[in-house]
Amino acid sequence: MLKIKNLKAKIDGKEILKGINLEVKPGEVHAIMGPNGSGKSTLAAVLAGREIFEVTEGEVEYLGKNLLEMTPEERAKEGIFLGFQYPIEIPGVSMVNFMKTAVNEKRKYHNQEPLSAAEFLKLMREKKAVVEIDSNLTNRSVNEGFSGGEKKKNEIFQMAMLEPKLAILDETDSGLDIDALRIVANGVNKLKTPENATIVITHYQRLLDYIVPDVVHVLYQGRIVKTSGKELALELEEKGYDWIKKEVEQES
Amino acid sequence: MENQVLADINTIFIDRFKNEKSVLCEGSSELINSHREKAFEIFQKTGIPTKADERYRYITLDPVFRVDYKSYLRKRDILFNIDDVFHCDVPNLETHTILLVNGWYHDKENQLTSLPGGAVIGSFMAAAQKYPRLFEKYYGKYADPNTDGLTALNTAFAQDGIFLYVPKGVILDKSIQIINILLSDEDVMAQPRNLFILEENSQAQIVVCDHTLSSQRFLTNSVTEIAAGKNSLFDFYKIQNEHNGSVQLSSVFINQKKASNVVSGVITLHGGIIRNNIHVKLEEEYCENSTMGLYLSDKGQHVDNYTFIDHASPNCTSNELFKGVLDDYATGAFTGKILVRKDAQNTRAFQANNNILLTDDAKINTKPQLEIWADDVKCSHGATVGQLDDNALFYLRSRGINEKEARMLLMFGFTYEIMNKIKIEPLKIRISNLIEKRLRGELSRCNSCVMNCREC
Ligand SMILES: Nc1ncnc2c1ncn2[C@@H]1O[C@H](COP(=O)(O)OP(=O)(O)OP(=O)(O)O)[C@@H](O)[C@H]1O
Ligand SMILES: [Mg+2]
């Protein structure tokens, strides 16, 4: 469903992604790991359409379409969801208003009637239960004053509301306590179908005990330098990244 | 250049005063007329404010006055039923609604209306005749004509406007809605004068809606005096929705006695040039004041807010919040003066002015002016000028919300802080609808009007 070929992107003249190749098929879970600053969030942002990154080379095909030509909102309505590493606080915009607008814009795009107020509230209630999110949070402004963990849960709540085909979760596990981690992971698993796929960006093997990946990639210095099965995560946990960095240096 | 034009304009006002004094004084009480004389003398010296006056640095008043406005020194009959052309629908808001047309109290039959508990609302002119003792005590006590030329000019020409009296201990449970209508077949200048008196332990809420109902140019130079007695509670909201060929110069003087609580808010939706002067004097201890403003402007509009919070006694709190969204080549200014006098210990005074400029051509000047003479003071002020938050915009778009709608949500969110402070719930809902429409560009000032006038 997603084919990334030789993707290069830069910001302020600095090349961050230096030729990414990645293919994700329906039903798959891919994990992307890698040292800080290697370009994981940049890749996620480019896939979601963040315009401050300039794509200089490469192609991205998503469900047969050229993803790079689409606006962020089109991508979202076509089923891409980005769980932000650092969710944004938006004072004055209520969660309810935000989600209602998002859900109905998506419905409109797919030629569906907008949800009535009652239907919408019912949907909210259901999805809140999935991520066991506190009711009070959805009565507040988007992420405003949310704790780190609450923000992450809120990302999964939004994901549950929007039912994406391809979810890219950027360090959704960091900052979560053990219970929250389980809840979030369960949330992701509940939303899993044979048609949709997930890319989880993480530093910790722990998350992958819950969300079991089919493939694990290591992103380093703007390239995917290693791809393997889920055992790679365990190996990284144990040994760190030094051996991979060495391998890369030897090759070049 | 500016000064020359203004000098000529001052001469016009001075001549008009001299020539038409008898008409001006006709129907007004002796007290009003004696204030008139004194104010006129002051105006002769000061004239219309120029940029040399620091408080008026960002507004150019000479083109404002250059138009050859008519001033109606006698009440004119309006030849149609106002209900046919206008309804300012604040749903579920139970109000006493009163109309002011071109500065004159509209209801000819009932110049003064009794409200529960002995409260009175009605024509300023009629009230001055009927309640000389109240006027003796309150009129001209807060709006000193020495403040500036606009206050002096209004006092010299004051004839009619709105009068409210709420006696000791009386609580008005219905809000009062004042609809200020400007409507004429020629360009008009109006100088309404309002006096609101709240005695000890009384409560009232006023909502003022300013509208232009015809395409002529209008200039309003209004003065409102508010006397908030001991322990009184007063809420005063003003919604400015006039066409872009109109000018509104509004001066409000609020005087607060012990432990009174006054909330005032100005919501500027439309208008050519708008200047709001808000003077608050916390004269006795334990007062609370909240002064807020929201301006949404575009095209060549200019919105200028000047506030002066005078902490004259200890243990008072003032909170100021002004927010603005400026589009196109609109300009604006906020000047917030806070004076904490020597004896005003344990003062808390907070001020914030936040602006969003949607284009490179939109401009805002924002300036706090703090003058603090007491030692035990908690004071803060902050001004921001920025654009819509790019990260927030992307966040919303990444959830499938199109860019236009996302911008709308962010602007609306920006105004929410002000809206949230409006205590009258149905009014809050109504204003938030108006603001949403305004931000979507769907609100014209003609919204509730069936007459066809100029483009906004
Ligand atoms: N807006 C920006 N301006 C300049 N440099 C940027 C910007 N955003 C990212 N970078 C740089 O790009 C590189 C990759 O950043 P990115 O956030 O993608 O890393 P990451 O792999 O997600 O790291 P982490 O594990 O710490 O989250 C870093 O060196 C970062 O400083
Ligand atoms: Mg990152």
Side-chain angles (χ1 to χ4, degrees), chain B residues 96 113-120 165-173 199 202:
Chain B
H96 300 283
T113 306
S114 298
L115 301 176
V120 177
Y165 170 62
V166 191
K168 191 169 165 179
V170 171
I171 294 169
L172 296 183
D173 38 356
E199 285 187 347
S202 68

Side-chain angles (χ1 to χ4, degrees), chain A residues 41 85 170-171:
Chain A
S41 294
Q85 183 176 1
D170 191 357
E171 295 198 28

Side-chain angles (χ1 to χ4, degrees), chain A residues 122-134:
Chain A
K122 184 162 167 273
L123 182 69
M124 285 264 287
R125 230 177 295 125
E126 278 168 28
K127 302 300 183 182
K128 271 196 289 206
V130 172
V131 287
E132 299 176 36
I133 194 171
D134 190 340

Side-chain angles (χ1 to χ4, degrees), chain A residues 85-134:
Chain A
Q85 183 176 1
Y86 304 109
I88 313 292
E89 299 197 13
I90 312 181
V93 177
S94 73
M95 272 304 298
V96 173
N97 202 5
F98 168 44
M99 275 294 102
K100 198 194 276 170
T101 311
V103 167
N104 283 335
E105 289 254 328
K106 184 170 178 186
R107 292 182 67 86
K108 194 165 84 190
Y109 184 81
H110 293 287
N111 294 319
Q112 293 165 309
E113 290 288 307
L115 292 183
S116 70
E119 287 168 330
F120 176 76
L121 290 176
K122 184 162 167 273
L123 182 69
M124 285 264 287
R125 230 177 295 125
E126 278 168 28
K127 302 300 183 182
K128 271 196 289 206
V130 172
V131 287
E132 299 176 36
I133 194 171
D134 190 340

Side-chain angles (χ1 to χ4, degrees), chain A residues 11-12 14 16 34-43 52-53 85-86 170-171 203:
Chain A
I11 186 162
D12 295 339
K14 182 179 156 198
I16 311 285
N36 294 132
S38 57
K40 303 180 297 295
S41 294
T42 304
L43 174 61
I52 53 171
F53 297 101
Q85 183 176 1
Y86 304 109
D170 191 357
E171 295 198 28
H203 286 295

